[in-house]
Amino acid sequence: MSPGNRDAAEAGQLPPQTSTRRTVLAGLAATAAVSAAQWSGAQIAAAQQARPASRSGAPLSLTLLGTNGGPPPLATGYGISSALVVEGRTYVVDCGRGAVSQCMRAGLSMPSLTGIFLPHLHADHLVDYFAFPLLAAGASGTAGFTTPVDVYGPGPAGIDSTVAVAPGAVPGTTEMTELAARAYAASPTFFMSEHTGTDPLTLLRVHDVLPPSDTGASATHTAPDMAPFTVMEDDTVKVTAVLVPHGAVYPAYAYRFDTDHGSVVFSADTPPTPNLVGLARHADVLVHEAMYPAALVDLGLPQALVDHILATHTNVADLGRIAAQADVGTLVATHLSPGDPGVIPDATWHRLLKDSARRGGFAGSMVLGKDLLHLPVRA
């Protein structure tokens, strides 16, 4: 039986819940607020060609730059990355393969980039990270940054590297950035010698994010129960985070963005966890990863790898229950695994999301993430 024809795995049944707040639907710029689980392929394609994110007019909007799951590159899609635009300021969450190019395709100006958030330091979430300052360092005007960009990412894990050429402690985001600048030092050196570029490190303000000391978290106790803690706050947005479990990865975070115009939460990679439910409580939009176990088995992956994926990611069948528990307005499924539409057609994902919402008692909207899907958030 092909993956596209398999039924969704049974999820635990919860009693239907009535939202305790006004359900907020994230609508597309080209359509009214509707459940994306009912959209046709043609409607999605039309929506993707709607007005660029930076010119949609909404004070708060979400654009999915890439939605593919896993490190292996996919010819038909881009790596995981999202852009949240708040009153004209752009915050990028995850920097997967193609993030820079997708920002341009989405109509986002480089000078609008205000912050970059890395949930954890897996390759598929950061491979395009240093491309932002490295490419901007050789640009000027609207093609480059006008002010330094704040970067927030996991601090040191407190463990030693097993990579032969990189002995010592595994670096956190700050040290990783400095090492990347050293590795790519030739390019800005050549540009600056001809007075046409700048040092990429001057374009960033990097902040290592570590959990509060009283959580008792460590590389051997990666995601204890905890309340959200503040990562940053300015006059536009407040960002909070919690630790989420993701195998050996530490620290691994989910982030929440609260603004005057609504709230958006990014799960990053995680199996179901109470920490995320608490972080996402009453959010307008929850952007959550989705994995379909039956398709992974049909791909012929080694059983050990399948078991690891099942233990460290979230089954699409659980998304409805998670969304209902958190009482969110809209759930957007992204970081899709497998992400190849030739393996799992969109119609199958739509069915799985619809079934998940029904079984989980979720009355809000379930949206299937697609590259460059633009979602104005209206509170």
Side-chain angles (χ1 to χ4, degrees):
M1 181 181 296
S2 68
N5 292 329
R6 284 186 178 273
D7 290 329
E10 291 292 333
Q13 179 67 45
L14 291 179
Q17 297 185 11
T18 301
S19 177
T20 59
R21 59 192 293 280
R22 181 184 300 173
T23 299
V24 180
L25 298 178
L28 289 173
T31 183
V34 295
S35 171
Q38 299 173 347
W39 295 341
S40 68
Q43 287 172 316
I44 290 174
Q48 289 174 339
Q49 315 223 351
R51 286 175 292 172
S54 61
R55 297 192 295 273
S56 69
L60 175 63
S61 65
L62 168 70
T63 298
L64 303 183
L65 303 176
T67 57
N68 185 36
L74 184 68
T76 55
Y78 289 84
I80 181 65
S81 185
S82 304
L84 197 66
V85 179
V86 188
E87 298 180 12
R89 302 178 183 177
T90 300
Y91 301 86
V92 169
V93 181
D94 288 311
C95 296
R97 180 181 56 84
V100 174
S101 295
Q102 290 294 87
C103 276
M104 300 300 98
R105 293 182 67 200
L108 298 167
S109 72
M110 197 65 81
S112 77
L113 184 59
T114 303
I116 294 174
F117 291 80
L118 301 176
H120 63 274
L121 301 184
H122 264 158
D124 51 326
H125 294 257
L126 59 77
V127 67
D128 238 25
Y129 159 53
F130 202 70
F132 280 97
L134 186 64
L135 295 173
S140 61
T142 59
F145 302 157
T146 54
T147 58
V149 171
D150 285 294
V151 177
Y152 300 86
I159 59 175
D160 287 337
S161 167
T162 58
V163 178
V165 296
V170 169
T173 302
T174 297
E175 186 181 359
M176 177 186 72
T177 304
E178 293 169 351
L179 291 169
R182 181 178 177 184
Y184 289 104
S187 176
T189 296
F190 298 148
F191 279 133
M192 287 189 291
S193 71
E194 298 172 327
H195 309 289
T196 59
T198 189
D199 181 348
L201 277 184
T202 65
L203 302 178
L204 302 176
R205 287 189 295 257
V206 186
H207 311 268
D208 277 348
V209 179
L210 286 169
S213 58
D214 59 2
T215 62
S218 69
T220 58
H221 188 41
T222 59
D225 291 345
M226 65 179 297
F229 66 96
T230 299
V231 173
M232 63 81 71
E233 185 172 7
D234 60 22
D235 60 348
T236 302
V237 62
K238 178 180 180 179
V239 181
T240 51
V242 293
L243 289 166
V244 292
H246 189 43
V249 179
Y250 176 78
Y253 296 113
Y255 290 116
R256 175 177 178 133
F257 292 73
D258 284 295
T259 78
D260 290 341
H261 314 287
S263 52
V264 180
V265 177
F266 298 87
S267 76
D269 290 0
T270 180
T273 171
N275 282 354
L276 178 65
V277 172
L279 181 72
R281 188 80 64 192
H282 306 318
D284 297 315
V285 179
L286 171 57
V287 184
H288 204 296
E289 68 148 328
M291 172 266 300
Y292 185 30
L296 295 176
V297 173
D298 283 349
L299 283 175
L301 299 179
Q303 189 59 48
L305 177 56
V306 172
D307 292 342
H308 169 74
I309 294 173
L310 296 181
T312 57
H313 295 272
T314 298
N315 188 335
V316 62
D318 291 326
L319 294 185
R321 173 174 57 85
I322 293 168
Q325 288 176 338
D327 188 27
V328 301
T330 296
L331 185 140
V332 178
T334 189
H335 207 24
L336 306 174
S337 183
D340 188 345
V343 175
I344 307 181
D346 288 353
T348 299
W349 279 116
H350 287 314
R351 175 174 57 80
L352 293 171
L353 290 171
K354 182 178 180 180
D355 289 348
S356 181
R358 175 178 55 81
R359 291 170 176 159
F362 178 54
S365 178
M366 299 286 269
V367 176
L368 174 62
K370 303 291 291 181
D371 291 4
L372 295 184
L373 191 65
H374 177 57
L375 302 163
V377 180
R378 294 189 286 269

